[in-house]
Amino acid sequence: MPWQTRTIEQRLTSMSRSAEQRLTAQGHMAEGAQIAANSVLGVILKELAGQISDLDGHLAWRGDQLQPDTSELELLERHAGRVNIFRKPATLAYGDVTVTGVEGAVIPAGTRLQASAAPGVVFTSRAETAIAGGTATLTVDAGTEGAIGNLPAAAPMSLVVPVAGIDPAAVAAAEGITRGVDAETDAQLLSLLLFRKRNPPRGGKPADYVRWTLEVAGIVAAWAYETEPSRGYVTVRFLLDPAAGGPIPTEADRLAVLAHLNGHEDEVTGQPEGRPAGMEARAVLVDAYPIDYTIALDDDTPANRAAVEAELAAQLLLDGAPAVTVRVSRQREAVSRAAGETYHRMTVPAADIALGVNQYPVVGAITWEPY
């Protein structure tokens, strides 16, 4: 049974009764007499009860620090560091921006832009570019790490300092500005640590490939398959953080994962780590499988619609995996969980959806009907 830590009052009562029994047995107190709270002995017992309670609390705290899932942040990072797991740092967003201006006008490298959707973030162009056909495309990097630097396609931007011949207004290009990822959260770090403890390194088993893939910045889920497509191969499929433009990864992400699987340096030992000799690693991109919905809300407002869409996306990210069967009951549960929803009716999808091995479910078009 679990250890029950007593309160100061419970401990003081227990100590007082014990002292009274001993003093009575030795003839120093009358039968039934009690130690007065303001007596010398009463004050000493109260102080001792408080000190012992402090020790109990410290021992309970120390016990919590022995396990990573109950330890505090500093100790969690020490637990993880002992098995070479370290918090993934935040990354800078980058992407293309479309600007307009006078034909032949030059935008110098280092030109700074800003966006109201990313307050406080300054974006800097990488290279000098000239206007051709009325427009130019700049590749920019965010100056602040994390998801705050991400911008959707067509997000309005503007030059921080005017450039001759260049219109002050600009927009994020079709793919937006992405790949900005916040530093790994405590929950994510703990999840990786627990996965490592439950799946210790075994010289190239599938769990090793999953762990290596999750070490790559921005990757939030991974699956590894032995002997696919044949003996001597391990195939990995993975997802990108939605905040960085995911969950569907790109070719650049695939190449980054493959390079890490083929060999990387251990952060602590400095020794090479990765796929064993004689094995071939494959990183395969999953394709988005849009799931369309037809939903009627009793209180159909823009805010409630947005809440429903967010819950559906979160549910698919939680349940999704290659070759998964998307359960319609789980989708209805997600809609019911949305803030502002009281009653709803979902007619599409009407049945579970079985996906292929390279398919991953994402929210498609939502048709809103009257309730």
Side-chain angles (χ1 to χ4, degrees):
M1 62 180 294
W3 175 261
Q4 298 294 326
T5 301
R6 290 183 287 183
T7 65
I8 294 179
E9 290 75 16
Q10 291 171 331
R11 189 173 301 283
L12 177 59
T13 299
S14 174
M15 293 172 65
S16 297
R17 298 296 85 81
S18 177
E20 289 163 359
Q21 291 173 5
R22 289 176 179 273
L23 291 172
T24 299
Q26 295 172 6
H28 299 302
M29 286 186 69
E31 187 73 31
Q34 294 184 338
I35 298 173
N38 59 351
S39 66
V40 173
L41 184 54
V43 172
I44 292 174
L45 289 173
K46 186 177 294 185
E47 179 64 22
L48 286 174
Q51 294 294 336
I52 294 172
S53 181
D54 283 347
L55 289 174
D56 271 353
H58 180 72
L59 289 173
W61 177 85
R62 294 287 295 181
D64 286 342
Q65 308 319 302
L66 294 176
Q67 302 299 327
D69 54 342
T70 55
S71 66
E72 294 182 356
L73 171 60
E74 180 182 354
L75 274 299
L76 170 61
E77 292 180 336
R78 289 180 63 183
H79 280 296
R82 291 191 182 106
V83 290
N84 296 351
I85 293 177
F86 302 93
R87 190 185 302 273
K88 288 189 282 189
T91 59
L92 292 171
Y94 62 89
D96 292 339
V97 176
T98 301
V99 297
T100 58
V102 177
E103 190 72 14
V106 174
I107 306 100
T111 296
R112 295 178 298 158
L113 298 97
Q114 58 191 358
S116 59
V121 180
V122 174
F123 301 85
T124 305
S125 64
R126 293 182 180 178
E128 180 180 290
T129 309
I131 297 291
T135 66
T137 299
L138 309 178
T139 298
V140 300
D141 296 294
T144 303
E145 295 176 334
I148 190 174
N150 295 328
L151 292 174
M157 304 181 71
S158 61
L159 297 175
V160 174
V161 177
V163 176
I166 305 300
D167 296 332
V171 295
E175 294 186 356
I177 297 176
T178 60
R179 297 301 185 274
V181 180
D182 292 330
E184 196 168 48
T185 65
D186 295 346
Q188 290 170 327
L189 179 62
L190 175 61
S191 177
L192 283 177
L193 174 56
L194 294 179
F195 181 85
R196 165 63 174 74
K197 286 180 172 291
R198 293 162 182 161
N199 301 275
R202 296 184 182 276
K205 296 295 286 183
D208 295 334
Y209 285 81
V210 170
R211 177 169 54 84
W212 293 329
T213 302
L214 292 175
E215 290 173 351
V216 178
I219 305 304
V220 294
W223 302 268
Y225 306 85
E226 284 185 299
T227 66
E228 183 188 329
S230 61
R231 289 178 62 86
Y233 286 86
V234 175
T235 294
V236 171
R237 295 176 176 86
F238 57 95
L239 297 180
L240 187 67
D241 190 334
I248 306 303
T250 66
E251 177 64 12
D253 300 313
R254 189 189 74 82
L255 294 176
V257 167
L258 186 59
H260 196 72
L261 293 176
N262 282 332
H264 57 276
E265 185 177 281
D266 186 282
E267 292 189 37
V268 174
T269 65
Q271 297 299 309
E273 191 174 25
R275 64 173 177 82
M279 296 295 294
E280 287 293 331
R282 297 173 71 239
V284 176
L285 295 177
V286 294
D287 298 320
Y289 184 95
I291 297 178
D292 296 335
Y293 298 88
T294 298
I295 301 172
L297 296 176
D298 66 315
D299 186 11
D300 192 353
T301 66
N304 289 347
R305 288 185 178 188
V308 166
E309 186 169 357
E311 287 293 347
L312 287 171
Q315 191 68 54
L316 291 179
L317 189 63
L318 177 65
D319 295 343
V324 74
T325 296
V326 179
R327 304 295 180 183
V328 68
S329 61
R330 297 280 282 172
Q331 305 305 294
R332 293 189 176 116
E333 177 187 351
V335 176
S336 296
R337 196 168 52 240
E341 186 275 349
T342 305
Y343 307 106
H344 80 275
R345 182 175 59 252
M346 187 173 78
T347 54
V348 177
D352 297 343
I353 302 172
L355 303 186
V357 70
N358 282 332
Q359 294 177 321
Y360 189 83
V362 297
V363 176
I366 301 180
T367 301
W368 302 98
E369 292 185 337
Y371 185 77

